[in-house]
C-alpha cells in the first residue's frame, strides 16, 4: 500500500465523478478507477439514470480486472435498483482491493456494500479524501439523511448590495463569465425554484442555456439531454400560459393554493401542478420539499426576488447562499439583495464564508448560515408574494 499513489488514484476518481455532475442525478455522481500493477486498466463515472454505475463502466473498460484495486468515490452499492449491485460485479471480476472515499448514506447500502466485500475476502479501506467526496454529493447526502436535498440560493448584486434598479431593471449586473457559472449551477441542479413575481417581472425561462456552459462536447451533450425541473411558487396561478418558464423541453411544476382552480389555458400548457396548504405567512414550503424529495431532487437552486429569498433564509430553509458581486454601484434607490425586516443588530443573520473567488470581473461568494442561526428556525411557512 502506497499512500501517495492511493491519493493520486482517488484524486483521479474524484475528477471522473465531477465529470458526471450534470447528468447522473438522481443518482450520486461517482468516479471509479481500476489499477493493476501500478497502471490504470479501466475507469468510469456514473451514467445517466438507468445506465451503468461508475464501477460497471470501469470494469467494462478494463475487460479483465482480476487482482485489481478499485478506487471509488462512494461505497459500492449492494442492493438492486435500476441496475444490479456493484459489489457483485466487483467480486465477479476478481477485484482484490477496494479503496472507497466515503460510505453510502443511502439506508439501503449504509456500510453493507463494504461489509460484503470484506466478508468475501477483499481488502477494504474507507475514508481516503472523504471530505472532498462528500462535498461532491452534498445534495444526495442531505436527501438521504434528512429527507430534503441541498437548497442553495443564487443571488447577484452590485458592490453596494443592490440587485435591480427601482424600476426592476436588472440585466445585466454581472458579466458573461458569472452568467456562464450560473448556467453550470442550473445544469447541476435537479430543480430551480422561483416565485411568480419573478416570472411576471422578468419572464425568465430558468432553463439551461447549454451553449453558455463552456463545457467540452461530451459533458455538454449530457447536460443538454437533462434539464432541471422548474418550480414556480404561484399561490393564485398568475403565471401566463405564454410565459417562457412554461416553454421549451424543461418540465415545469406550478405550486398553488389548494383552493385555487387551474385555468384552462394553464392546464393546456403542459405544466404540472401541485397544491399546497396555506400557512400563516403564505404557502407552506415543507410539503413542497417533501414532493421534491419524492421526485428524488438532490440539488435545489433558488433563483428568486429578495422577498422569497429573505423569507426562506429566515425560515431556515437555505443551506447556502451563492452571491455574485459585480464591481458596480446602483445607488440607494435600487432594490436590496434580500428583504429582511430587521430592526436591531442583535437580529442580524450570521453567515460563515466557505469560498470567495473571482469569476471574470465579478466575485463569487459562497456562504452558509451559521449553525446557531439555523437552530430552531425552520418552520416551513414562507411568504410567497414577490
Amino acid at each position: 500500500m502506497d499512500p501517495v499513489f492511493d491519493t493520486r488514484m482517488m484524486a483521479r476518481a474524484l475528477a471522473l465523478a465531477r465529470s458526471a455532475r450534470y447528468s447522473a442525478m438522481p443518482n450520486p455522481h461517482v468516479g471509479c478507477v481500476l489499477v493493476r500493477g501500478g497502471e490504470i486498466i479501466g475507469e468510469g463515472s456514473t451514467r445517466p439514470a438507468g445506465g451503468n454505475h461508475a464501477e460497471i463502466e470501469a470494469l467494462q473498460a478494463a475487460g479483465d480486472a482480476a487482482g485489481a484495486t478499485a478506487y471509488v468515490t462512494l461505497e459500492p452499492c449492494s442492493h438492486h435498483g435500476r441496475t444490479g449491485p456493484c459489489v457483485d460485479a466487483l467480486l465477479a471480476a476478481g477485484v482484490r482491493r477496494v479503496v472507497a472515499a466515503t460510505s453510502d448514506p443511502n439506508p439501503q447500502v449504509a456500510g453493507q456494500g463494504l461489509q460484503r466485500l470484506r466478508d468475501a475476502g477483499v481488502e477494504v479501506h474507507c475514508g481516503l479524501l472523504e471530505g472532498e467526496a462528500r462535498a461532491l454529493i452534498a445534495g444526495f447526502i442531505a436527501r438521504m439523511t434528512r429527507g430534503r436535498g441541498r437548497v442553495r440560493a443564487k443571488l447577484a448584486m452590485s458592490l453596494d448590495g443592490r440587485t435591480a434598479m427601482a424600476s426592476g431593471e436588472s440585466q445585466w449586473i454581472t458579466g458573461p463569465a458569472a452568467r456562464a457559472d450560473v448556467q453550470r449551477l442550473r445544469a447541476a441542479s435537479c430543480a430551480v425554484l422561483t416565485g411568480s413575481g419573478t416570472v411576471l417581472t422578468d419572464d425568465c425561462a430558468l432553463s439551461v442555456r447549454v451553449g453558455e456552459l463552456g463545457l467540452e462536447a461530451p459533458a455538454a451533450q449530457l447536460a443538454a439531454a437533462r434539464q432541471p425541473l422548474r418550480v414556480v411558487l404561484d399561490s393564485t396561478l398568475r403565471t401566463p400560459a405564454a410565459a417562457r418558464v412554461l416553454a421549451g423541453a424543461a418540465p415545469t411544476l406550478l405550486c398553488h393554493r389548494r383552493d385555487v382552480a387551474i385555468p384552462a389555458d394553464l392546464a393546456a400548457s403542459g405544466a404540472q401542478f401541485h397544491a399546497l396548504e396555506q400557512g400563516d405567512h403564505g404557502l407552506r414550503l415543507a410539503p413542497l420539499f417533501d414532493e421534491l424529495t419524492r421526485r428524488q431532487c438532490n440539488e435545489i437552486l433558488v433563483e428568486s426576488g429578495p422577498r422569497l429569498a429573505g423569507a426562506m433564509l429566515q425560515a431556515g430553509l437555505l443551506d447556502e447562499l451563492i452571491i455574485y458581486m459585480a464591481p458596480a454601484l446602483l445607488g440607494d434607490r435600487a432594490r436590496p439583495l434580500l428583504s429582511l425586516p430587521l430592526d436591531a443588530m442583535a437580529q442580524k443573520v450570521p453567515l460563515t464564508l466557505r469560498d470567495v473567488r473571482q469569476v471574470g470581473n465579478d466575485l463569487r461568494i459562497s456562504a452558509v448560515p451559521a449553525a446557531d442561526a439555523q437552530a430552531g428556525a425552520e418552520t416551513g411557512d414562507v411568504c410567497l408574494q414577490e
Side-chain angles (χ1 to χ4, degrees), residues 109-336:
V109 185
Q112 297 177 59
L114 297 178
Q115 190 56 51
R116 279 195 55 199
L117 291 169
R118 292 187 182 101
D119 291 345
V122 175
E123 181 185 346
V124 174
H125 302 272
C126 185
L128 181 61
L129 300 185
E130 182 171 20
E132 291 90 333
R134 292 180 69 84
L136 269 183
I137 56 170
F140 175 76
I141 292 173
R143 179 166 67 88
M144 287 293 143
T145 56
R146 71 177 184 190
R148 185 181 78 230
R150 178 169 60 168
V151 184
R152 301 193 285 179
K154 184 278 295 182
L155 303 160
M157 70 176 189
S158 61
L159 198 59
D160 51 351
R162 304 293 173 163
T163 62
M165 304 308 294
S167 64
E169 181 186 358
S170 63
Q171 294 183 330
W172 296 99
I173 294 175
T174 55
R179 297 199 295 273
D181 199 61
V182 170
Q183 292 302 309
R184 289 188 287 273
L185 271 180
R186 281 186 192 171
S189 299
C190 303
V192 180
L193 173 66
T194 194
S196 59
T198 298
V199 171
L200 292 171
T201 301
D202 298 340
D203 193 21
C204 47
L206 295 183
S207 54
V208 177
R209 299 190 291 271
V210 177
E212 296 181 23
L213 290 173
L215 301 176
E216 297 294 332
Q221 290 166 1
L222 289 172
R226 190 208 64 87
Q227 289 276 348
L229 174 70
R230 300 175 291 194
V231 182
V232 181
L233 302 168
D234 188 356
S235 57
T236 58
L237 290 176
R238 301 183 296 162
T239 300
R244 293 175 65 217
V245 78
L246 300 177
T252 303
L253 180 67
L254 296 177
C255 301
H256 58 92
R257 229 171 45 215
R258 208 172 271 284
D259 61 344
V260 172
I262 300 173
D265 57 349
L266 279 182
S269 69
Q272 305 168 38
F273 298 88
H274 187 68
L276 294 172
E277 297 291 343
Q278 182 81 4
D280 293 339
H281 307 291
L283 291 179
R284 294 194 63 248
L285 287 195
L288 169 60
F289 285 113
D290 290 341
E291 172 64 14
L292 294 181
T293 297
R294 187 188 71 78
R295 292 170 179 252
Q296 299 181 295
C297 291
N298 300 326
E299 297 283 353
I300 301 149
L301 183 64
V302 179
E303 296 193 46
S304 72
R307 294 191 65 181
L308 177 56
M312 290 186 69
L313 178 63
Q314 288 195 300
L317 293 172
L318 292 183
D319 299 307
E320 184 179 8
L321 286 79
I322 300 175
I323 303 168
Y324 295 88
M325 186 170 70
L329 303 172
L330 299 187
D332 60 357
R333 287 184 292 180
R335 298 182 181 183

Side-chain angles (χ1 to χ4, degrees), residues 33-70:
V33 176
L34 291 171
V35 174
R36 185 172 57 208
E39 300 290 335
I40 294 176
I41 60 171
E43 57 184 31
S45 58
T46 311
R47 304 301 296 165
N52 289 336
H53 289 189
E55 297 93 324
I56 307 304
E57 286 287 298
L59 288 170
Q60 290 182 353
D64 176 14
T69 293

